[in-house]
């Protein structure tokens, strides 16, 4: 499908959906910070794109202090700039810091202006100019090397918006051609690529991910997998988030999580949207997902430290609720 709208990424974006207005569900109370261990095998992280007012060293220290297991590290000018000199040395420093703090990582590549200071997320893998597409490819290959040096779980990426006057077939061919060298680098480094369906992009839903797999000759799931954003599932997928988790399970390498409303692409703090989180977390645990589940609030950096604390409280409570077994049947009742 062709993403013709010029809105993307973390912008608020209303998606046409005749079923909009899905019922909201009760949210766990997260008014106070009370980190607690749970029986859930899930490992929660927080995205550095929601902590851009903090130095990276301070952001990592905060997350470890709060009790997070890891971090979604967006390579950007303020956090491990992928284009600045001495990247390998700086990456080694971050790797030592992560190890010291007991944090794991996924490398994310959604920085808004890291390549083009005037065009958000530009250039993309779909850019009409092959040289500009190559700039994005080089960035992703560099991210693969950073991920390998950090011992990261995966490298996240997305397709980009279909440019004007570009057919679907042309856009899909550009995407497949551009990702070929990235997959080669990922295979050599032993780091999987985790493509994110993004509202408004060419690859916007789970069905589109499977089209990409077909275009690329069905690579092994250990090489080409998914970033599943739980909010995006609520926003536009035909299946509810719980069923999206189950459908995505064989290819799942990275999970982003936040609240959201049906038909509106706006990343919301937990409790401000419509998602019922305990069943989602239960599904992630049930399918055996062991990567990071990373809070994705890129437009809330001004309140990042507070939201990081509140988000972990919320997720810990939701995981605890998901782990509570159902009551046993009453003896002598109707079968």
């Amino acid at each position: 499908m062709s993403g013709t709208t010029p809105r993307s990424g973390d912008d608020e974006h209303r998606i046409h959906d005749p079923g909009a207005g899905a019922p909201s569900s009760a949210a766990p109370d997260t008014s106070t910070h009370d980190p607690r261990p749970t029986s859930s095998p899930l490992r929660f992280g927080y995205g550095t794109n929601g902590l851009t007012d903090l130095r990276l060293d301070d952001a990592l220290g905060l997350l470890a202090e709060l009790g997070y297991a890891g971090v979604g590290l967006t390579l950007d000018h303020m956090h491990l700039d992928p284009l600045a000199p001495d990247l390998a040395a700086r990456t080694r420093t971050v790797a030592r810091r992560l190890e010291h703090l007991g944090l794991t990582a996924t490398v994310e590549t959604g920085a808004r202006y890291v390549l083009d200071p005037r065009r958000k997320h530009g250039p993309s893998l779909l850019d009409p100019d092959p040289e500009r597409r190559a700039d994005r490819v080089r960035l992703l290959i560099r991210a693969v090397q950073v991920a390998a040096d950090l011992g990261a779980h995966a490298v996240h990426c997305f397709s980009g918006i279909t440019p004007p006057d570009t057919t679907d077939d042309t856009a899909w061919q550009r995407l497949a051609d551009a990702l070929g060298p990235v997959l080669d680098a990922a295979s050599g480094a032993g780091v999987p690529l985790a493509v994110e369906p993004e509202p408004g992009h060419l690859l916007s839903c789970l069905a589109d991910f499977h089209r990409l797999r077909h275009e690329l000759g069905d690579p092994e799931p250990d090489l080409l997998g998914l970033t599943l954003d739980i909010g995006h599932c609520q926003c536009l997928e035909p299946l509810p988030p719980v069923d999206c988790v189950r459908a995505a399970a064989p290819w799942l390498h990275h999970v982003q999580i936040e609240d959201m409303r049906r038909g509106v692409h706006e990343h919301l703090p937990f409790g401000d949207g419509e998602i019922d989180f305990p069943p989602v977390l239960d599904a992630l645990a049930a399918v055996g997902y062991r990567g990071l589940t990373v809070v994705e609030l890129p437009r809330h950096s001004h309140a990042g430290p507070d939201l990081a604390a509140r988000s972990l409280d919320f997720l810990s409570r939701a995981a605890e609720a998901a782990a509570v077994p159902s009551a046993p049947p009453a003896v002598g009742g109707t079968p």
Side-chain angles (χ1 to χ4, degrees), residues 256-277:
Q256 296 173 346
I257 194 165
E258 70 285 314
D259 219 337
M260 204 168 286
R261 301 186 186 100
R262 185 70 179 172
V264 182
H265 183 202
E266 181 183 9
H267 291 233
L268 300 172
F270 297 112
D272 288 358
E274 301 169 339
I275 300 175
D276 184 12
F277 284 95

Side-chain angles (χ1 to χ4, degrees), residues 11-278:
D11 284 349
E12 179 175 347
H13 174 41
R14 186 167 297 278
I15 308 294
H16 173 69
D17 174 53
S24 61
S25 55
D29 177 16
T30 60
S31 56
T32 58
H33 176 51
D34 180 24
R36 61 190 67 196
T38 74
S39 58
S40 172
L42 299 180
R43 295 187 292 171
F44 298 121
Y46 202 90
T48 59
N49 60 2
L51 295 169
T52 56
D53 291 287
L54 277 66
R55 298 177 184 87
L56 179 57
D57 194 63
D58 292 337
L60 297 179
L62 169 74
L63 297 182
E65 179 183 325
L66 290 174
Y68 280 95
V71 59
L73 176 56
T74 296
L75 304 182
D76 207 346
H77 64 89
M78 79 295 288
H79 290 157
L80 196 53
D81 187 342
L83 303 183
D86 301 321
L87 177 60
R90 290 183 288 113
T91 301
R92 287 193 294 271
T93 298
V94 173
R96 288 193 294 269
R97 178 68 166 156
L98 290 170
E99 183 178 13
H100 174 73
L101 294 171
L103 296 173
T104 59
T106 298
V107 170
E108 302 197 3
T109 61
R112 295 180 180 93
Y113 296 101
V114 69
L115 287 177
D116 187 332
R118 293 173 177 81
R119 189 159 65 111
K120 180 182 172 185
H121 293 151
S124 79
L125 297 172
L126 309 179
D127 198 285
D129 184 340
E131 288 301 318
R132 287 179 62 77
R133 290 200 300 275
D135 288 342
R136 177 62 62 173
V137 170
R138 282 190 287 269
L139 177 67
L140 294 180
I141 291 173
R142 189 167 295 191
V144 167
Q145 186 57 58
V146 168
D149 291 346
L150 293 178
H153 301 293
V155 171
H156 148 279
C157 67
F158 44 60
S159 68
I161 297 170
T162 304
D165 304 318
T166 302
T167 66
D168 275 359
D169 287 345
T170 296
W172 281 107
Q173 189 61 55
R174 284 179 189 166
L175 180 60
D177 290 347
L179 283 179
V182 184
L183 287 172
D184 288 343
S187 177
V191 178
L193 199 63
V195 180
E196 179 188 8
E198 181 78 22
H201 284 210
L202 173 72
L203 197 158
S204 66
C205 61
L206 290 174
D208 292 336
F209 168 72
H210 292 295
R211 174 168 179 174
L212 175 64
R213 288 180 54 243
H214 177 72
E215 296 278 348
L216 290 168
D218 294 325
E220 290 296 320
D222 286 347
L223 177 60
L224 178 65
L226 268 166
T227 292
L228 187 70
D229 188 301
I230 301 302
H232 294 174
C233 297
Q234 176 69 18
C235 178
L236 56 65
E237 291 285 354
L239 296 174
V242 168
D243 291 334
C244 288
V245 168
R246 298 182 183 121
W251 300 275
L252 203 52
H253 288 302
H254 185 44
V255 172
Q256 296 173 346
I257 194 165
E258 70 285 314
D259 219 337
M260 204 168 286
R261 301 186 186 100
R262 185 70 179 172
V264 182
H265 183 202
E266 181 183 9
H267 291 233
L268 300 172
F270 297 112
D272 288 358
E274 301 169 339
I275 300 175
D276 184 12
F277 284 95

